[in-house]
Amino acid sequence: MINTARNWGYDDGKAEGKAEGLEEGAKAKEIEIAKNFLKDGIPIEVVSKNTGLSIEELEELNKEA
């Protein structure tokens, strides 16, 4: 009984960790794409619309570049 509960917890934790990792990877890819768009002179509003990043996030990225 205890082992079954432990296995469920392990499986749930593993699935949650995987989902979190995929989300972080997707966000990193959005940022990479946005930086390239901004570097190429694409207007910030267009970049925001196409990446899902906020204007504020993009302005911060633009400062870093």
Side-chain angles (χ1 to χ4, degrees):
M1 189 72 144
I2 291 174
N3 283 337
T4 301
R6 186 178 301 142
N7 287 340
W8 286 340
Y10 174 80
D11 290 344
D12 288 348
K14 187 175 176 182
E16 187 177 313
K18 186 175 183 178
E20 187 175 311
L22 288 171
E23 187 176 314
E24 288 175 10
K27 180 76 171 189
K29 187 65 177 175
E30 289 172 351
I31 290 170
E32 180 183 340
I33 291 168
K35 284 181 178 181
N36 289 332
F37 281 166
L38 293 170
K39 198 181 310 177
D40 286 344
I42 306 293
I44 211 163
E45 294 81 12
V46 174
V47 177
S48 176
K49 180 180 175 186
N50 287 283
T51 63
L53 298 173
S54 71
I55 299 290
E56 293 78 21
E57 289 174 302
L58 293 170
E59 287 173 345
E60 198 61 38
L61 287 176
N62 217 7
K63 288 179 190 175
E64 295 173 8

